[in-house]
Amino acid sequence: MTLTSPAASAPSSGLAVTSPFIGDTVRWLERAVIGLNLCPFAKGVHVKGQIHYALALTDNAEHVLDLLREELAALVATPTQERDTTLIVVPHCLDDFLDFNDFLGRAEALLEDLELEGTLQIASFHPQFQFAGTDTDDVTNCTNRSPYPTLHLLREESIDRAVEVFPEAESIFERNIDVLQALGTQGWADLDVGPGAGGGAGAATAARAVAP
């Protein structure tokens, strides 16, 4: 796995290696997404080292969009065996969920402009994620809550292969709701997958990292 942050100055790989933001994200992936089996397809790419982490150390949404453009192009250009999927972690920007939702519209427009619809998808996670019609503290919202705002870039062909292996993919959502309800708010808190929980542990080796 590799780690990248947006270019704005000279590279500084040590920043990436010790990034607590990636450590927190890996901890969340292992303990919540894989540990609770919220996504049956996550374990395989994680174990194989096929997840690419990109760290957006910026407070400017335009810079995040620029990084998204780079990472979409890079994912298409990289063999699936080397990089199956990408997580863009945004710790200093888009912390308001409504602003994040607005940004997702721009992200989808970018996907269309790059003529990558049908090739890639953009999924998302956010620490304030909230399903329509739920209370803020409803534990079911945690199915889509990550330590930091996160964009998940997926290959359509990988999704198709996963669905072939797991033909009842449409039942994942309902199962996840049941799992979170059974876990409860305290159970989710006990997973300890919020910001600052993972430190630098589990962070990927840096490909490049620069100051915002």
Side-chain angles (χ1 to χ4, degrees), residues 1 4 9 19 26 73 80 90 94-95 113 143 149 157 166 169 174 201:
M1 293 182 287
T4 309
S9 66
S19 168
V26 172
T80 304
V90 188
L94 303 172
D95 56 335
D113 290 344
T143 61
E157 61 181 17
F166 194 88
E174 289 79 6

Side-chain angles (χ1 to χ4, degrees), residues 44-150:
V45 291
H46 175 59
V47 170
K48 294 175 184 177
Q50 294 173 329
I51 302 176
H52 173 76
Y53 294 90
L55 180 60
L57 292 174
T58 178
D59 60 2
N60 187 314
E62 293 299 327
H63 294 167
V64 177
L65 198 67
D66 289 342
L67 178 61
L68 174 60
R69 181 188 302 273
E70 294 175 10
E71 291 299 334
L72 287 168
L75 184 58
V76 170
T78 305
T80 304
Q81 295 79 3
E82 179 180 340
R83 183 184 306 182
D84 187 83
T85 190
T86 296
L87 290 176
I88 302 177
V89 182
V90 188
H92 303 315
C93 189
L94 303 172
D95 56 335
D96 182 272
F97 184 51
L98 295 181
D99 290 343
F100 184 68
N101 272 340
D102 289 342
F103 180 85
L104 293 179
R106 301 180 65 190
E108 291 296 336
L110 176 60
L111 193 68
E112 182 177 354
D113 290 344
L114 296 175
E115 299 183 344
L116 291 176
E117 288 184 309
T119 301
L120 300 180
Q121 284 187 19
I122 303 174
S124 61
F125 301 91
H126 195 278
Q128 297 176 0
F129 179 88
Q130 184 174 352
F131 289 114
T134 66
D135 294 330
T136 302
D137 58 357
D138 189 323
V139 70
T140 60
N141 292 318
C142 294
T143 61
N144 289 61
R145 287 186 176 177
S146 53
Y148 310 100
T150 300

Side-chain angles (χ1 to χ4, degrees), residues 141-194:
N141 292 318
C142 294
T143 61
N144 289 61
R145 287 186 176 177
S146 53
Y148 310 100
T150 300
L151 301 171
H152 185 192
L153 314 187
L154 306 100
R155 300 176 187 265
E156 291 274 9
E157 61 181 17
S158 295
I159 295 173
D160 292 342
R161 286 197 303 270
V163 170
E164 289 179 2
V165 176
F166 194 88
E168 298 181 357
E170 68 279 358
S171 68
I172 294 174
F173 174 78
E174 289 79 6
R175 177 201 170 276
N176 288 349
I177 296 299
D178 291 341
V179 168
L180 266 295
Q181 288 177 334
L183 185 67
T185 303
Q186 186 57 53
W188 177 262
D190 289 344
L191 289 177
D192 194 19
V193 292

Side-chain angles (χ1 to χ4, degrees), residues 10-65:
S12 173
S13 61
L15 175 65
V17 172
T18 60
S19 168
F21 308 117
I22 299 304
D24 290 344
T25 300
V26 172
R27 182 184 178 93
W28 162 72
L29 177 69
E30 293 177 340
R31 291 194 171 200
V33 179
I34 295 174
L36 298 178
N37 199 30
L38 299 180
C39 177
F41 321 125
K43 184 176 181 179
V45 291
H46 175 59
V47 170
K48 294 175 184 177
Q50 294 173 329
I51 302 176
H52 173 76
Y53 294 90
L55 180 60
L57 292 174
T58 178
D59 60 2
N60 187 314
E62 293 299 327
H63 294 167
V64 177
L65 198 67

